[in-house]
Amino acid sequence: EFSGYEGTEASGEIVALYRGGSPVDALAAGDEGAVILSSTPFYAESGGQIGDTGILAETGKLFQVVDTQKSGNAIVHYGAVEEGQLNLGDAVDAIVDDERRQAIRLNHSATHLMHAALRKVLGEHVQQKGSLVAPDRLRFDISHPSQISDEQMLRVEDAVNARVARNSEVVTTVESPEEAKSRGAMALFGEKYGDAVRVV
């Protein structure tokens, strides 16, 4: 279960451990491996946004998370045990590097602002074709039939910076896909959506 929309710290039970790709009952100090929890605030890499980092900790136990990925329905924390031993069934506190998450969050918002500005400057035909959202940078891939001029790029940059300077409140709702689309939300890459979607 992902709890990262509610906060960056939560408790979870260790439901699976892996070392060298094989399931194990424990990871000891110095071991590199993977941990799956019953619930986690760690965001797994998805949609161009890289996975969270941070720690899994309990008294006398510390696992440094260097990456978070999805595997099927599971959220997998990759890293190494720095102190103590992790065992199946242990309860641990999962603590995301909040400063890094905030930097990623800001760059994620910037990709959406760029998309809107690019459509305004270049035309409604512009569609997102991919992205990278990291704490230190973003990359935004689009479809467009010609090279973007320096003047157009400056107009996009000015539009995004003007929107950032407004420091608008970010509001999140959960609604049906139909409601979201009626309010202007775009469905990208032909994605399949469930009965409820998170709209930021």
Side-chain angles (χ1 to χ4, degrees), residues 43-151:
Y43 183 85
E45 181 174 323
S46 180
Q49 180 171 318
I50 66 173
D52 280 332
T53 62
I55 60 170
L56 307 179
E58 187 48 68
T59 304
K61 303 170 188 267
L62 179 64
F63 182 87
Q64 189 73 43
V65 179
V66 298
D67 192 17
T68 308
Q69 296 284 325
K70 285 183 182 174
S71 179
N73 291 327
I75 297 173
V76 185
H77 310 79
Y78 291 95
V81 179
E82 294 192 353
E83 181 183 342
Q85 177 172 298
L86 298 184
N87 304 290
L88 282 177
D90 282 354
V92 294
D93 293 326
I95 304 168
V96 174
D97 180 338
D98 194 47
E99 187 174 313
R100 181 177 179 273
R101 163 82 76 84
Q102 178 61 11
I104 292 169
R105 185 181 291 125
L106 293 173
N107 281 337
H108 190 145
S109 293
T111 64
H112 293 285
L113 297 177
M114 281 183 60
H115 195 189
L118 286 160
R119 288 172 61 87
K120 182 177 178 183
V121 171
L122 302 177
E124 294 294 310
H125 65 278
V126 170
Q127 291 186 352
Q128 179 180 354
K129 295 297 182 183
S131 67
L132 168 70
V133 182
D136 59 337
R137 68 190 185 286
L138 66 87
R139 189 197 73 240
F140 193 74
D141 307 327
I142 63 166
S143 58
H144 186 58
S146 61
Q147 183 173 337
I148 300 171
S149 72
D150 290 342
E151 184 269 337

